[in-house]
Structure formats: C-alpha cells, structure tokens
Amino acid sequence: MRPVVGFAGMTHLGLVSGVCASEKGFMVVCFDPDPSRIAALNGNSLPVSEPQLEQLVANNAERLHFTADAAALKGCDVVYVAPDVPTDDQGASDLRSIDALLEQTFGATRADAVIAVLSQVPPGFTRARAREDRALYYQVETLIFGRAVERALQPERYIVGCADPLRPLPAPYHAFLEAHGCPILPMRYESAELAKISINMCLVASVSTANTVAELCERIGADWSEIVPALKLDRRIGPHAYLAPGLGIAGGNLERDLATVCRLADELGTDAGVVRAWITNSRHRRDWALRVLHQAILSKIDDPVLAILGLAYKQDTRSTKNSPSIALLRSLEPFRVRVYDPLVAASEVPNPRRHAANSELEACDGADALVVITPWAQFRNLQPRDIAGRLRGKTVLDPYAVLDAAACRAAGLVYHTLGAKA
Amino acid sequence: MVLLGARGFIAGAIFRSLSAQGFSVLPLGRPDLDLLKPESVGTLAAALHHDDAVVMLAALTPDRGRDIGTLMKNLAMMEHLCAALAKTGCAHLVYFSSDAVYGLGPSRVTEETPAAPQDLYGAMHLARELLARAVAGVPILVLRPTQVYGAGDTHNSYGPNRFRRAAREDGRIQLFGGGEETRDHIHVDDVAAISMRCLMHRRTGTLNLATGRSVSFRGVAELVARQFAKPADIVSVARSGPVTHRHFDVANLIAAFPDIRFIALDEGVARCHTEEMEKG
C-alpha cells in the first residue's frame, strides 16, 4: 500500500513538493496553520508562480487535501516539514517559524510516522531536534525558482540526513523516495546539511568564475559566450555547469548558505576567505547596469527616461528578494522609469516617477535607454527593430543576452551585455 | 556651515561652491583658529551652534611632513575639534579623509575595502576618522578623496599638478619608470560639487571621492604636455618601488547621486592649464 504523504508549510517549497508528490500518484495532505493561505489554495489561488504548477494542482485535485487542521496529519505515514525559512539582509535564517511548525507536526502525527525536514536549515539543526521516540530525517531540497516542478518530479538524487545512516530507512519513507527512480544517499544529519550548502557553493563558484572573466571580456574585447562552449566540453567542468554571468547572487537561498559558511568558519576558526570574495564579487556585479547606465545615459542626458523590463530576481517567479532590478530602480529614484514585468506588480517599484507599462514595447515608448534586467522567455520575442522604433535613444542594456545582439546592432541600437564589449 | 582649514586648496573650492549657492559659510583658516592649540577648543565651541554643519579639512598635508611629529600634530587638531563638538554638538560633520587609508594590495577599491594604511599619513586619517566617529550624537560623513587636481593647488604630489608645474618651469616631466601606474584623478570642482550635495542631503557613512576612471601617469603626463605650445618632454627616471594600480568602484557614489557628472581628465587638465595661465 502506498504511503500517505503530508507536507507542513504551504509556501513555495512545501506547495511545489506536495503537488509534485500527488503527481507521482500519492495521496497528499497539504497542511498550513494559516487558514487564509489554505482558503486561497482551496480557491485555486496559488501564492507562487511556477511553470506547470497550476495545471498539476488541477490534474491532481482528488489526491490533494489542503487543510489548516493539523489533525489531518494523523493519517500520514511520512510528513515533510517544509516552510520557506526567511532570511534577513545578511542572509541569516530566522528559524522560529520552522521550529514552531516542527513542534506542531511532532504533536499532530502518529508515533510511527516519519518526519522529514525539507527546509534549508543550518548544520546542527536536525540533530538538535531529534527525539529518541520519533523517526526524524533531514532531506536536502534542490528546487530552483522557475524550475521547481521539473526538479521535484525528476530529482537527480535524494540526499537523506539520518540519525544513524547505517539503519535502513523506514519502509513508507523508502517507498516514497523510490517512486522517483533516482539514487538515494543516506548520510548523517550534519553531512546532509552540509551537502546542501556544498552544492550551492559549487554553483556560486562557477557563477563567480563566469562573472570575473566576463568582466575582463568586457574590457579587453573577448567574448564570454565564445569561451563557455570550450569550458562545457571539459569533463572536469561539464555541460551543465553554471557558467552564465549574472548580476550577482539573488533570491536569498544561495546568500543564506554563504552566510552560514562564513558564520560557521568564524565560530570554528576555519578559512572562508573565498566565500567572502564571492559575496564581494556578487555585490560588484549587481551594480553592472547602474555603472553602464551612468556612463551611457545618466551622466549625459538631463532628466532621462528609462525603460526597465523585469522586476523579479529571475524569470518565472514573482520573487523580488535581492532582485538586481529593484536594486537598480532604487538607485534610479530621481528619474522617470517605465517598468514592465509579466508577474510582479509595478507597485513594488520604489520610484515615485514610475509608469506601469502594459507591455514591453509600451515601456520602451520615448525612453532614452532600455534595460532588460530579468531574462523572461517572452522578452526573447521582442524584435530589436520594434524596440528601436519606440525608444527615443539607442542604448540597450541586456545583461543576460535575451535579445539578438547582431539584430540590435543592425537596428542601430548600442547594445551592452555581460561578457562582451559594447 | 563651518569650514575648518578654509585656506586650503579643496576648502577654497568648497567655499566658492557653497557661497555661490547662497549658503551661509563661516570659513576658519589657521590664522582664525589654530586647532593645534588647546585653547582652540573653547574658541571653536563658542563659534559653533548645535545645528551647524562642520566640514573638517584642517590638516598638515604630507608636503608639511610625514614624520611622527606631524602625525601627532594632526591628531591633536582632531582631538581639539572633537572636544569642541563634544561641548556643542553639531547637525552634521563631514570629515575629509584620504584614500591613503587603503593599502596598495588589490587595485580595486570600494568603501567596503578594509583600511590598511601604508604610512603615517594614511594612519593619521584613519585615526582621525575613528576619533570623529567617537563623538557621541554627531551624524558623520567620511569622504575619502583620491588624488585631487585643479588650478591653485599648492601641493606638489606626483600627478597632474606637479607635471604641469614641471612642464612649465623645466619644459619636461619626470616619470618614475614608464609611468605605468594607474590612478584616479578627480577635479577639485567635482570634489566641491559632491561635497555640497552631501551637505545638502546630510549624508552619513563613508564615500570615496573618485571618478571611477583610472589613467596611467604616462597618460596624465601626455595630457599635460599637450597643453603647451611646445609640448614638454617626458623623461623617465628610476622608480623606487613596484608598479601599483588603483581603480575605484564608484557604484556607491553613483547610487547616491545618479546624475553626477565628472569632469573628464582631458577637459580638467585643459581647464586647469587655462586658469593657471590666466593667473600668470
């Protein structure tokens, strides 16, 4: 008999994970102590945006039970505690809400039920909360905003933190994991907690390398996009390596892990110099657009008008946590800005002189420069000649190379992107 | 606004800018107030109002000595200012420090770059920053200018002003080695304009005053040499230390004042030359 699976905490992680479990054919209890959040979910109003998510909720309505009543967890064999853990400006986690939810879950579940912490927690968290009479695990999540459903349905592996990794996993838990057809790696709690951080550190290292060399490319006339294929064909780096330059680390999760490593290193006297260098590089690259805009527009044109496409910190999400777009707009407060984002409301823009455009091209109308700062897929459909026809100026900043560089230049636009000279 | 060290090169430019904008400025130079003397505490306290903005530019610059005695005198001046401020308070203190508080390790400098002064002059400014910050209840802004140039500079530090003087007097400019070192040079009028904005916005914290564009000393020398009808010769002399570079990341300055416009180095050098020639 297939286990019934519960998820406690219906923010991004818990919701996506629960819905994907139902897609795998499991009966799923989706619990959140906030009745208004559950009411919204029962009314088909999802608090997060992810490709396929709405469709999966509709497809699996019979297997999904959204509830604010913790007693419903009594029927579950496995319960994931999966609230999004908030972070402060320094990337430090606020663990109060997950602690409260974990406590509530211990109290609401059967004594033989498996409880697995799925949220991002610092090393030492799980063992400190383990109980002799309960089966508590920590499972690494590697969801990516904008690709969360894909990652949850087709995980590369499961990393499971255990009190004792030599003891077999409880049958219901193993059955649920096995249904996903990927390797299962049991290890001690601390190793699993650090494995999660290690994965993110490797990603940041790759991106920081890309950013560092891409900036050199911009100065000496090399083109990072020409270099990337050479790196991806190197077996030690690989075809899926994170080598796209960006505007710094954003979204909160990577920053949290870097902050955790720095904190641990400070406490334990180990070296975290390289991590601090990544953080510094991230902050430096975040201001790329401001530097280019200043040089090309702000220092030359009185009272310029600027078109900004994208407010979210990345495509396919409405999250603006540490968004380079919002950071840029904060620096552009004195100026007129015309903003458009497919999901994020213009009310999140701090600028008093903002215009909420209804489309990408309307945002371009009469602007001295266009900044495509979030790489939404739909922006790829923009034709440079249409942009040129609507802009007052010729400057285009397209850090993520969403637009066709050659077509932009052919349309008479001055095209700036990461990793190449304008 | 109270301007301390008002007879100096930078202070003069700030005074002109503030006055042109109609601000009420009390310029105090050494003849008016000798901050080296303990009695300056009482004199300054009597002149200050708690709602004044104070700009501290009084310092013995490196051309007046780089020794321990000069360091201690500079610290004493700051001690006396802080004592006066402790009595009266003020609405805003702007302390003019220097990029000498940074080391010459990594070339890229931001406000977050750890201070690592290499000499007593840099250590003096860092100590004075800390002294200023220790005055309770006074909102403080520390400005750390890179090399400042412009007409009327009496200092003789290695850079545009010395090159212009040498070109005019000797017809030749001496560079250490090939003049490969890169530095950021900011025109004194830009320094004055930014200072005025900081005062108007009551800005606090730390800001580097630089343009974000570094040029080699050879590049600077060539710009200066071209100002003369008969271009000055540029000659090389043995350098005494390794080649070092400095680049300022001015993102914080741009974020604070996004419409800021810097005087380009070629324009600034030409302006400086014209003004000096007019003075004879």
Side-chain angles (χ1 to χ4, degrees):
Chain A
M1 195 170 151
R2 301 199 107 192
V4 176
V5 186
F7 287 84
M10 282 296 106
T11 42
H12 185 270
L13 175 64
L15 177 61
V16 171
S17 304
V19 171
C20 289
S22 72
E23 173 69 8
K24 290 287 184 183
F26 293 92
M27 296 299 292
V28 177
V29 175
C30 293
F31 162 72
D32 194 286
D34 180 354
S36 63
R37 185 171 290 152
I38 293 300
L41 287 167
N42 279 322
N44 291 324
S45 171
L46 304 186
V48 298
S49 170
E50 284 290 343
Q52 303 180 62
L53 188 63
E54 276 188 19
Q55 190 59 49
L56 291 189
V57 171
N59 292 352
N60 296 289
E62 288 181 0
R63 282 191 288 273
L64 283 167
H65 173 41
F66 294 108
T67 178
D69 181 3
L73 295 174
K74 217 54 160 189
C76 296
D77 304 294
V78 178
V79 177
Y80 284 98
V81 178
D84 291 341
V85 176
T87 53
D88 63 19
D89 289 345
Q90 304 302 312
S93 296
D94 180 349
L95 299 169
R96 286 173 298 181
S97 57
I98 187 174
D99 267 328
L101 195 57
L102 182 59
E103 193 60 37
Q104 191 174 16
T105 305
F106 272 128
T109 47
R110 298 194 314 266
D112 66 331
V114 171
I115 297 177
V117 172
L118 194 58
S119 306
Q120 205 169 351
V121 294
F125 176 90
T126 318
R127 194 171 298 281
R129 287 148 182 88
R131 300 180 182 192
E132 290 271 326
D133 57 338
R134 297 300 302 264
L136 179 66
Y137 292 85
Y138 165 69
Q139 185 178 312
V140 173
E141 58 81 16
T142 55
L143 298 193
I144 301 171
F145 281 114
R147 288 177 57 201
V149 169
E150 171 202 333
R151 301 275 300 178
L153 289 176
Q154 295 158 358
E156 291 150 319
R157 73 298 198 215
Y158 278 127
I159 302 165
V160 181
C162 316
D164 178 1
L166 297 179
R167 281 169 60 182
L169 296 177
Y173 187 28
H174 191 266
F176 175 67
L177 296 180
E178 201 175 34
H180 293 78
C182 67
I184 301 169
L185 306 175
M187 58 187 74
R188 66 194 69 186
Y189 289 140
E190 293 81 0
S191 298
E193 289 160 343
L194 209 48
K196 164 66 181 165
I197 290 175
S198 309
I199 293 165
N200 282 343
M201 286 178 68
C202 287
L203 299 180
V204 173
S206 297
V207 172
S208 299
T209 300
N211 278 339
T212 301
V213 185
E215 187 176 17
L216 275 178
C217 289
E218 292 158 26
R219 303 294 174 92
I220 67 175
D223 189 328
W224 177 245
S225 69
E226 293 173 348
I227 297 170
V228 168
L231 299 180
K232 291 197 169 185
L233 286 169
D234 189 309
R235 288 199 185 105
R236 296 164 299 177
I237 300 168
H240 303 294
Y242 263 37
L243 293 174
L247 299 176
I249 307 160
N253 287 338
L254 298 176
E255 296 96 308
R256 177 208 320 261
D257 284 348
L258 300 187
T260 299
V261 171
C262 289
R263 180 180 58 76
L264 284 173
D266 288 342
E267 283 173 14
L268 302 171
T270 61
D271 176 43
V274 69
V275 179
R276 293 198 161 91
W278 294 337
I279 294 169
T280 300
N281 180 259
S282 170
R283 288 181 186 149
H284 170 62
R285 290 305 267 173
R286 187 196 64 189
D287 293 324
W288 175 87
L290 178 62
R291 284 191 200 90
V292 176
L293 267 185
H294 182 261
Q295 191 184 333
I297 302 292
L298 307 182
S299 64
K300 293 179 178 162
I301 297 174
D302 291 328
D303 198 20
V305 180
L306 304 161
I308 309 288
L309 297 187
L311 299 172
Y313 92 91
K314 61 185 281 189
Q315 72 275 27
D316 299 323
T317 177
R318 54 164 61 96
S319 171
T320 56
K321 175 109 181 174
N322 295 346
S323 161
S325 177
I326 299 297
L328 173 66
L329 283 158
R330 216 168 269 131
S331 300
L332 299 178
E333 278 193 13
F335 307 113
R336 286 175 288 167
V337 292
R338 302 173 64 83
V339 300
Y340 175 76
D341 187 283
L343 274 186
V344 181
S347 56
E348 292 204 28
V349 173
N351 305 54
R353 302 175 74 195
R354 65 170 182 262
H355 168 76
N358 292 317
S359 69
E360 296 92 330
L361 286 177
E362 195 217 321
C364 294
D365 280 341
D368 294 289
L370 165 66
V371 187
V372 187
I373 199 154
T374 310
W376 285 93
Q378 69 187 66
F379 296 164
R380 294 186 191 282
N381 300 327
L382 289 169
Q383 296 302 313
R385 64 175 179 277
D386 295 336
I387 293 170
R390 307 286 281 261
L391 287 179
R392 181 167 73 184
K394 294 181 185 304
T395 302
V396 171
L397 277 67
D398 180 18
Y400 299 103
V402 168
L403 306 173
D404 183 311
C408 283
R409 292 189 183 105
L413 298 168
V414 180
Y415 181 77
H416 300 261
T417 191
L418 291 171
K421 215 168 186 173
Chain B
M1 294 184 190
V2 178
L3 205 51
L4 300 172
R7 297 200 164 201
F9 167 53
I10 296 174
I14 294 175
F15 178 71
R16 288 191 294 278
S17 289
L18 290 171
S19 301
Q21 292 293 319
F23 288 98
S24 167
V25 188
L26 173 62
L28 296 174
R30 193 168 180 183
D32 316 300
L33 178 81
D34 187 352
L35 278 170
L36 275 170
K37 294 180 178 168
E39 53 268 34
S40 65
V41 174
T43 310
L44 183 55
L48 280 178
H49 296 278
H50 64 87
D51 56 352
D52 282 340
V54 176
V55 183
M56 173 57 169
L57 281 138
L60 299 174
T61 46
D63 53 310
R64 309 278 289 276
R66 289 177 172 270
D67 54 2
I68 294 173
T70 309
L71 165 73
M72 301 312 288
K73 285 178 186 171
N74 272 318
L75 293 182
M77 292 165 73
M78 197 66 194
E79 179 189 9
H80 296 148
L81 169 61
C82 292
L85 290 175
K87 287 186 175 188
T88 62
C90 73
H92 191 203
L93 172 62
V94 176
Y95 176 66
F96 260 82
S97 180
S98 162
D99 72 339
V101 300
Y102 300 115
L104 283 172
S107 73
R108 182 179 157 272
V109 169
T110 75
E111 287 79 0
E112 286 76 41
T113 301
Q118 304 292 296
D119 59 14
L120 293 182
Y121 180 70
M124 175 274 288
H125 271 301
L126 183 57
R128 289 186 12 155
E129 288 182 14
L130 296 172
L131 288 171
R133 289 203 161 101
V135 181
V138 172
I140 177 169
L141 169 68
V142 170
L143 295 175
R144 293 172 172 169
T146 180
Q147 301 194 343
V148 183
Y149 72 99
D153 182 17
T154 55
H155 308 121
N156 200 33
S157 56
Y158 187 61
N161 293 323
R162 186 200 287 190
F163 293 169
R164 208 200 66 76
R165 206 166 287 130
R168 184 177 184 186
E169 291 170 6
D170 309 330
R172 65 177 197 160
I173 299 169
Q174 283 192 343
L175 288 179
F176 295 119
E180 299 94 337
E181 299 93 333
T182 50
R183 294 291 186 275
D184 194 317
H185 303 277
I186 188 167
H187 194 278
V188 70
D189 289 349
D190 282 339
V191 171
I194 296 167
S195 304
M196 193 165 69
R197 284 181 176 221
C198 290
L199 284 162
M200 290 167 69
H201 287 84
R202 294 265 169 103
R203 192 172 176 85
T204 57
T206 301
L207 266 186
N208 292 327
L209 297 184
T211 69
R213 294 193 159 223
S214 290
V215 177
S216 70
F217 281 113
R218 171 161 289 278
V220 175
E222 287 170 352
L223 275 177
V224 171
R226 281 204 296 270
Q227 306 305 314
F228 294 86
K230 179 179 180 301
D233 294 331
I234 298 174
V235 298
S236 175
V237 298
R239 68 168 71 255
S240 55
V243 174
T244 59
H245 302 282
R246 175 158 288 176
H247 298 270
F248 282 87
D249 181 339
V250 294
N252 286 342
L253 189 57
I254 295 171
F257 309 115
D259 58 342
I260 193 169
R261 296 179 187 189
F262 297 106
I263 298 166
L265 186 62
D266 53 353
E267 181 193 339
V269 166
R271 185 193 294 187
C272 176
H273 179 75
T274 305
E275 289 172 2
E276 291 286 6
M277 294 304 279
E278 283 171 357
K279 278 196 265 177

